[in-house]
Amino acid sequence: MTRQFLPVCRRDLEERGIKQLDFVYIIGDAYVDHPSFGHAIISRVLESRGFSVGIISQPDWRDKDSIAVLGEPRLGFLVTGGNMDSMVNHYSVSKRRRQKDAFTPGGVMGKRPDYATIVYCNLIRQTYKKKPVIIGGIEASLRRLAHYDYWSGKVKRSILMDSGADLLLYGMGERSIVEMAEALNSGIDVRDLTYLDGTVYRTKDPDSVYDALMLPSFEEISQSKETFAKSFDIQYRNTDPFCARRLIEPYGTRGYIVQNPPAKPLSTQEMDDIYELPYMRDYHPSYKKEGGVPAIEEVRFSLTSSRGCFGGCSFCALTFHQGRIIQARSHESILREAEEMTHHPDFKGYIHDVGGPTANFRMPACKKQMKYGACPDKQCLFPAPCRNLECDHSDYLSLLRKLRSLPNVKKVFIRSGIRFDYLLHDPDRTFFRELCQYHVSGQLKVAPEHISDNVLEKMGKPPVSVYNRFQEEYRNINEKLGKKQYLVPYLMSSHPGSTLKDAVHLAEYLSKLGYMPEQVQDFYPTPSTVSTCMYYTGLDPRTMKKVYVASNPHEKAMQRALIQYRDPKNYDLVAEALKRTHREDLIGFDKKCLIRPRKEREEHPKDGRRKNSGKARKTIRNVHKKK
């Protein structure tokens, strides 16, 4: 059977003889039929189980008829805000409107509303009062319980309350979407779907929920930051599919929100089956006249080898979304996809990435995880690698060797991130050596994030001594290989715990390295991360100890400027930060100094020569006389 895109209009339905779709899928992104896009996976998984699915991409939220173009579905509407939270997609950390949307044809901004999932659901309810509405995707997943919303500066209710949807599927929803669809198809009412793992639902009767933990009420966490932090800690400890309890969140007279335990991880065979569904691996052809969809270029020649991450970074939402247990595809499946990729007319011989959330995680952290789950009160790598951690790169190394040997493949890059503390924990340096020899092109991007151990501890990252050791080994390996390759560290400013003194310490570190990053990520408080909880409450939910938070925009600007202290436009901010921290010793002409004094700086132009003015010469002579 010839591969084709899913129906997007009435004409498609007529050509395929479909009188009524089983599901209509409302998505906030452009329709891209590629397994790097959640809507593509969910729709193809449903199709593989015999359900018909039509796509309505970026409907006009000001027109209720825009969600009726495919008619009323037999079983229900599916809704997702897109591959990104719509607010992150729309706004920078400074809350300024972004200029481009990579998930929209032509990169045009403004094709979806703020809080897209809620808006789309309310739009559906205007026309279809009783038809089941099921929400999912990253926006719904991370807002499934009450959460701090950075853009409004408020604690918001579960998105299930505000959207009016019947059921929420969180995490990677392949299992729960099939179970939900089959239940609806068998005649079960959507209100009775209270038993599915990986789902959230509403109830009026908390006594009907088996083996559950009662969270503080929405009213309580809205009024007390300490209560919010305690509630978040309970949620954080119940994200594992093997040991998580059901959670109940009360909403006064409106009832209760119930979160079932996460869905179980997929087997290798299940992963293979999902990634080998008949995707078109491209954007819908109707977008060609608009210039296509920019987001496809990042993944067109990349390979997903795994999902999940046991890295445990505080600022990352993966624990809440994909979970900590690694699920991997087989070599054979990945090689088949790579071989198909080499026949693409635009393929130039370069595979851009082979990885997942963390490229060098290809197996669960330890044997017991697949039976008992990830430890609820311990991290696999922080503050140091667990004694039960199994660190072995041999499987990943074997996969990379096979990919390198494929006909028409010139180079295989690794761009999705290497966890350097895990790499160093492996006593065998073969992977490290071949990484440098074959999979780096001049620069390797890594994410130390900061160098102050106080800040790193709040981030859930290893101490700076580990990164220093990694830098040294990386340099030594490249010297032995005769390669001039460099590290490009990703750094974050203003993370909870980071004071101005910590930011100055980071600037000094960069000065000694002789490196100034071109890009700096200011901490962005996105829903449902440990770091966002710290940002909002000023407390570390894991210890309930106070955490310093740089929330003042001016201080945040100073912390960011310090990382790029060489940039002339940052001079005033850097000077102010150094004076505030009593580090005027870093203002001068010594090698250790970050900036020059203002007067002398004006007398020494960029070309290094003194300005040819009598006033300047007189000032300098007077200085020497005083000495």
Side-chain angles (χ1 to χ4, degrees):
M1 182 177 177
T2 304
R3 292 186 185 185
Q4 55 185 346
F5 287 92
L6 296 175
V8 298
C9 61
R10 289 279 189 175
R11 180 180 175 182
D12 289 344
L13 299 181
E14 292 169 2
E15 289 178 352
R16 299 173 201 196
I18 300 174
K19 294 183 178 179
Q20 184 182 30
L21 290 162
D22 293 322
F23 292 100
V24 170
Y25 201 172
I26 312 292
I27 63 175
D29 292 337
Y31 175 31
V32 182
D33 194 26
H34 187 285
S36 292
F37 293 74
H39 61 254
I41 289 181
I42 293 301
S43 56
R44 289 298 185 182
V45 165
L46 284 171
E47 183 189 48
S48 72
R49 297 303 182 98
F51 296 100
S52 58
V53 183
I55 304 289
I56 300 179
S57 169
Q58 299 183 321
D60 183 351
W61 68 94
R62 292 152 296 204
D63 178 9
K64 67 177 184 179
D65 293 333
S66 65
I67 52 88
V69 294
L70 293 178
E72 181 178 359
R74 183 174 68 90
L75 297 176
F77 285 93
L78 309 176
V79 179
T80 179
N83 258 28
M84 292 174 65
D85 184 284
S86 59
M87 299 304 286
V88 178
N89 179 281
H90 285 173
Y91 300 98
S92 69
V93 66
S94 60
K95 300 182 182 179
R96 293 179 180 175
R97 189 79 169 180
R98 298 189 195 275
Q99 298 301 308
K100 293 184 178 181
D101 180 354
F103 296 93
T104 293
V108 175
M109 176 53 74
K111 292 294 185 180
R112 81 186 86 205
D114 289 354
Y115 305 106
T117 302
I118 293 172
V119 174
Y120 291 150
C121 288
N122 290 333
L123 194 66
I124 292 168
R125 285 292 182 229
Q126 290 181 42
T127 302
Y128 304 101
K129 306 291 185 183
K130 297 182 179 180
K131 186 61 62 175
V133 176
I134 297 91
I135 59 176
I138 193 77
E139 185 166 271
S141 185
L142 300 184
R143 296 171 181 267
R144 58 187 183 261
L145 295 172
H147 54 280
Y148 172 69
D149 182 74
Y150 171 68
W151 302 273
S152 64
K154 298 177 181 178
V155 175
K156 289 207 165 196
R157 302 183 301 183
S158 163
I159 195 172
L160 202 56
M161 284 284 187
D162 290 335
S163 67
D166 297 288
L167 192 67
L168 185 156
L169 275 55
Y170 71 90
M172 308 301 284
E174 295 95 346
R175 286 193 188 282
S176 50
I177 195 72
V178 170
E179 292 173 352
M180 177 278 301
E182 290 178 344
L184 291 179
N185 193 47
S186 69
I188 298 176
D189 192 286
V190 69
R191 290 170 295 184
D192 295 325
L193 298 183
T194 61
Y195 55 89
L196 303 177
D197 285 346
T199 63
V200 179
Y201 65 94
R202 288 177 291 178
T203 185
K204 292 286 187 180
D205 180 17
D207 294 332
S208 65
V209 185
Y210 170 72
D211 188 31
L213 293 173
M214 185 69 71
L215 297 172
S217 70
F218 176 73
E219 289 74 15
E220 289 173 315
I221 66 170
S222 299
Q223 295 169 9
S224 167
K225 291 183 177 181
E226 182 177 348
T227 304
F228 181 100
K230 289 178 178 178
S231 178
F232 182 85
D233 185 54
I234 296 171
Q235 297 171 41
Y236 189 73
R237 293 169 183 270
N238 285 274
T239 55
D240 183 84
F242 292 95
C243 59
R245 301 271 299 277
R246 287 176 177 80
L247 302 178
I248 304 176
E249 190 170 64
Y251 281 82
T253 58
R254 294 181 63 88
Y256 302 83
I257 292 291
V258 181
Q259 175 183 296
N260 285 322
K264 294 295 189 292
L266 300 174
S267 67
T268 296
Q269 184 60 59
E270 288 171 322
M271 285 278 285
D272 289 353
D273 291 344
I274 287 167
Y275 281 87
E276 294 192 61
L277 291 171
Y279 305 99
M280 299 299 291
R281 299 186 179 274
D282 206 347
Y283 52 77
H284 194 274
S286 62
Y287 304 138
K288 188 163 290 187
K289 60 181 181 295
E290 300 169 79
V293 181
I296 188 67
E297 301 308 323
E298 289 293 318
V299 297
R300 191 189 295 279
F301 300 122
S302 296
L303 298 164
T304 299
S305 71
S306 63
R307 65 169 58 161
C309 181
F310 54 78
C313 298
S314 302
F315 49 81
C316 181
L318 275 170
T319 299
F320 260 64
H321 188 59
Q322 289 193 11
R324 291 167 58 189
I325 296 177
I326 304 300
Q327 301 145 75
R329 294 169 62 190
S330 70
H331 290 197
E332 292 75 18
S333 173
I334 296 170
L335 289 166
R336 282 193 291 270
E337 182 179 346
E339 199 277 333
E340 181 182 348
M341 183 186 294
T342 64
H343 298 293
H344 191 284
D346 294 331
F347 184 72
K348 307 299 183 184
Y350 301 99
I351 294 176
H352 295 165
D353 189 25
V354 185
T358 299
N360 55 328
F361 289 174
R362 274 279 299 172
M363 61 184 186
C366 65
K367 287 187 173 66
K368 75 178 190 67
Q369 280 193 348
M370 293 305 290
K371 185 176 182 181
Y372 301 106
C375 299
D377 55 355
K378 293 180 181 178
Q379 293 289 345
C380 303
L381 283 166
F382 177 81
C386 175
R387 64 181 182 181
N388 294 319
L389 177 67
E390 296 180 347
C391 188
D392 184 356
H393 288 84
S394 59
D395 178 71
Y396 189 42
L397 184 61
S398 173
L399 172 62
L400 292 170
R401 287 171 174 171
K402 292 173 184 176
L403 289 168
R404 293 201 307 259
S405 66
L406 286 177
N408 302 319
V409 171
K410 298 175 183 176
K411 188 92 173 181
V412 179
F413 294 107
I414 299 173
R415 293 181 177 173
S416 55
I418 294 291
R419 186 75 188 220
F420 57 82
D421 49 346
Y422 181 76
L423 187 153
L424 291 178
H425 193 59
D426 188 345
D428 186 345
R429 290 293 187 264
T430 306
F431 170 73
F432 201 171
R433 185 174 62 254
E434 293 198 17
L435 168 69
C436 297
Q437 187 170 2
Y438 299 111
H439 304 289
V440 178
S441 180
Q443 297 179 337
L444 176 65
K445 295 178 181 179
V446 289
E449 304 294 357
H450 213 282
I451 54 85
S452 167
D453 285 347
N454 173 57
V455 181
L456 291 168
E457 187 269 332
K458 297 296 183 293
M459 290 179 162
K461 301 286 283 188
V464 69
S465 58
V466 178
Y467 179 64
N468 289 338
R469 184 156 60 93
F470 174 75
Q471 284 190 99
E472 184 179 354
E473 289 202 32
Y474 181 78
R475 182 173 58 252
N476 291 338
I477 290 173
N478 278 291
E479 284 179 358
K480 290 179 181 177
L481 293 172
K483 290 179 173 286
K484 290 185 178 181
Q485 300 188 134
Y486 306 94
L487 289 175
V488 178
Y490 284 124
L491 299 168
M492 185 182 295
S493 63
S494 305
H495 186 276
S498 177
T499 64
L500 263 183
K501 287 185 178 180
D502 292 315
V504 171
H505 185 32
L506 174 55
E508 287 185 279
Y509 183 89
L510 294 173
S511 177
K512 290 176 183 177
L513 287 179
Y515 172 74
M516 188 182 81
E518 293 181 7
Q519 293 182 324
V520 178
Q521 173 63 56
D522 195 4
F523 169 66
Y524 203 152
T526 56
S528 297
T529 70
V530 175
S531 298
T532 298
C533 181
M534 287 192 274
Y535 175 86
Y536 169 61
T537 65
L539 299 167
D540 186 332
R542 300 162 294 192
T543 63
M544 294 305 294
K545 292 181 179 179
K546 289 186 177 180
V547 177
Y548 176 80
V549 177
S551 55
N552 180 280
H554 188 64
E555 182 184 345
K556 288 166 68 73
M558 285 191 286
Q559 290 208 27
R560 185 185 180 97
L562 279 163
I563 300 178
Q564 296 177 309
Y565 64 89
R566 292 183 185 176
D567 191 329
K569 68 175 181 288
N570 289 335
Y571 181 88
D572 290 333
L573 287 168
V574 173
E576 182 182 352
L578 295 177
K579 289 172 184 176
R580 280 200 190 186
T581 55
H582 306 293
R583 292 302 308 274
E584 288 90 344
D585 59 302
L586 296 177
I587 304 174
F589 295 97
D590 192 86
K591 285 184 178 180
K592 72 171 186 177
C593 294
L594 301 180
I595 57 174
R596 292 179 174 183
R598 172 68 77 182
K599 184 177 289 185
E600 285 81 351
R601 181 171 173 266
E602 290 174 349
E603 292 166 357
H604 292 265
K606 291 181 180 180
D607 63 3
R609 294 173 297 182
R610 190 180 304 152
K611 284 183 179 179
N612 187 22
S613 71
K615 185 178 179 180
R617 289 195 297 272
K618 184 177 179 181
T619 302
I620 294 171
R621 281 200 300 269
N622 289 338
V623 170
H624 286 300
K625 283 181 180 179
K626 288 179 181 179
K627 289 184 179 179

